[in-house]
Amino acid sequence: MPLLMVDLDNTLVDRAAAFLAWAEAFCRDHHRDDDEAVTGLVEADADGYTPRDGLAESVRERFRLSPGAFAALVDDLRWGMADHLELEPRVVDAVRRARTTGWTVVIVTNGTVEQQQRKLRLTGLDEEVDACVISEAAGVKKPSPEIFHLAASTASETLEGAWVIGDSARADIAGAHGLSLRSVWLRRGRTWDEEDFAPTLEADDCAQAIDLVIARRPS
């Protein structure tokens, strides 16, 4: 069966929306319920690419919290944000369509095992896909070819005819390009600006991306 490798954060689940909800709640709790404070937290998070320790210290200083608040902030940033994640029914339906039409669906995500597995459990995605490969456990991150090869072997499949879906140009689409795999990039309101490689297709959301792949038969 053909392999469909799908990113987790800001692809299968809207991590950006979850962090925004966390930021809004945090600002309310600290009596800074204004757009500037919320926007500052979102920008500091940098779509999750800022290390949690560094972000916690930045938040502590921004809100003038005591040094003793640091550890609790780190935990809240790592675990509390996941409580705001919501899995859209359209995405679940699309994943199920892919599997019932013969695709093997594997999540391939960068991140820590504990954090990413918690997201999978909270959203129920762990029950909806065939397998999941997390970079910390794999010992290698996207866009390295090794993590995609591991995803294929974990699902007892090959990369022949495989597709990659994700929102990151440098992790997901570059990874697919490096292995000559076809891919769908989630625009998220952006325009493609890489010159050295490009996705096979573009989509506005994950459900649409999955349906685009389903409609294309593997060569």
Side-chain angles (χ1 to χ4, degrees), residues 109-148:
T109 177
N110 288 346
T112 65
V113 171
E114 191 173 6
Q115 190 173 45
Q116 299 304 73
Q117 283 186 343
R118 185 166 189 269
K119 295 174 186 176
L120 297 175
R121 290 193 302 270
L122 286 173
T123 59
L125 271 170
D126 55 343
E127 300 292 334
E128 299 292 344
V129 299
D130 294 285
C132 180
V133 174
I134 301 172
S135 64
E136 184 183 56
V140 64
K141 294 182 178 181
K142 294 181 292 184
S144 174
E146 284 81 359
I147 197 167
F148 297 101

Side-chain angles (χ1 to χ4, degrees), residues 61-97:
E61 292 178 354
R62 186 186 300 261
F63 285 80
R64 299 179 181 178
L65 304 178
S66 69
F70 175 78
L73 265 174
V74 172
D75 285 345
D76 199 19
L77 287 165
R78 285 177 175 163
W79 317 121
M81 185 275 296
D83 293 334
H84 296 278
L85 285 173
E86 296 182 3
L87 182 59
E88 291 188 10
R90 289 180 61 249
V91 173
V92 176
D93 290 344
V95 169
R96 290 174 178 174
R97 279 195 298 276

Side-chain angles (χ1 to χ4, degrees), residues 26-38:
F26 184 87
C27 287
R28 284 194 303 271
D29 290 344
H30 291 80
H31 310 293
R32 290 282 303 278
D33 191 12
D34 60 86
D35 291 342
E36 184 178 352
V38 172

Side-chain angles (χ1 to χ4, degrees), residues 6-17:
V6 190
D7 178 46
L8 179 59
D9 292 315
N10 288 326
T11 301
L12 283 164
V13 295
D14 191 343
R15 184 203 174 276

Side-chain angles (χ1 to χ4, degrees), residues 157-203:
E157 300 289 352
T158 71
L159 291 177
E160 183 177 357
W163 281 74
V164 174
I165 294 175
D167 72 296
S168 172
R170 285 293 177 178
D172 303 304
I173 309 307
H177 175 77
L179 289 166
S180 298
L181 303 178
R182 287 172 289 185
S183 61
V184 187
W185 179 61
L186 270 60
R187 287 185 285 256
R188 297 180 58 211
R190 304 164 296 173
T191 56
W192 185 263
D193 58 8
E194 299 288 345
E195 296 182 356
D196 297 335
F197 60 95
T200 309
L201 301 169
E202 296 183 12

